[in-house]
Amino acid sequence: MTQAAYDLNTKPKSYGQYHAPRVRVVRGRSRLDKLRQTVAALRTVLVAALILGLVVSLLYSQAIITELSGEIESARQELTQEQSTYDYLSGRMDTITSSNNIQEIAEGQLGLVEADASQVTYITMEDESLIVRTESDLSKLLSGVRTAALSLIGNFDP
């Protein structure tokens, strides 16, 4: 008996074999996935807001530093100018207050003369109030001329 060769094109009837049902995978969103996506988006927004806040605060602090540096430089220039004015006036005051210069200004510009010893009056306050005044050469001369004039006039009277 000859047997026929097995035909590969035919499908055998299998009665007890298990066939898996056709399943199609559909990606759906569950509530947990939506919550995770919302938290991730919120985290991204928070990080972006934090970085933006840091950048804005850095720029603001740099602006304040620049403004204060300008004020410091302005105050430094004013201080330098005032120090130079002080140095000039201090030197000028030293020149003016030197004793030789004071005497030159008093005699030359103001027309003052040095005090004579006869122009000085000394007051002694002891038991009595007495003012002692020394006579100058001019007053002694005038006193002598007065005495001579009075005695001359007295000679002319009969």
Side-chain angles (χ1 to χ4, degrees):
M1 287 218 305
T2 58
Q3 270 191 334
Y6 182 74
D7 187 12
L8 294 176
N9 289 330
T10 63
K11 292 185 182 178
K13 290 183 180 180
S14 57
Y15 290 103
Q17 284 187 348
Y18 171 75
H19 288 287
R22 290 186 162 192
V23 178
R24 183 174 67 144
V25 177
V26 177
R27 186 171 194 176
R29 292 186 176 187
S30 66
R31 287 184 183 173
L32 187 59
D33 287 340
K34 287 181 182 180
L35 182 63
R36 284 181 184 158
Q37 286 180 349
T38 304
V39 168
L42 185 61
R43 188 176 353 156
T44 305
V45 168
L46 262 153
V47 167
L50 181 65
I51 290 173
L52 181 65
L54 289 173
V55 168
V56 167
S57 66
L58 178 68
L59 290 175
Y60 180 73
S61 66
Q62 287 297 325
I64 294 295
I65 287 172
T66 304
E67 181 180 342
L68 291 176
S69 295
E71 289 179 16
I72 288 171
E73 187 60 34
S74 173
R76 187 173 287 139
Q77 288 175 355
E78 186 178 340
L79 176 65
T80 304
Q81 182 180 4
E82 295 300 325
Q83 281 177 338
S84 99
T85 302
Y86 172 78
D87 291 341
Y88 168 75
L89 291 176
S90 178
R92 184 83 173 122
M93 185 178 74
D94 289 342
T95 303
I96 289 173
T97 57
S98 69
S99 61
N100 293 337
N101 196 20
I102 290 176
Q103 186 175 1
E104 289 174 11
I105 291 173
E107 291 174 353
Q109 293 178 0
L110 301 176
L112 301 177
V113 292
E114 196 170 332
D116 191 4
S118 64
Q119 296 173 324
V120 178
T121 303
Y122 295 99
I123 299 174
T124 306
M125 303 295 282
E126 292 179 14
D127 293 339
E128 299 178 19
S129 294
L130 181 64
I131 298 176
V132 178
R133 183 173 170 209
T134 59
E135 285 191 39
S136 67
D137 295 335
L138 182 62
S139 66
K140 288 179 185 176
L141 178 66
L142 289 177
S143 176
V145 169
R146 182 174 176 247
T147 306
L150 287 176
S151 77
L152 186 61
I153 292 174
N155 288 339
F156 288 125
D157 280 337

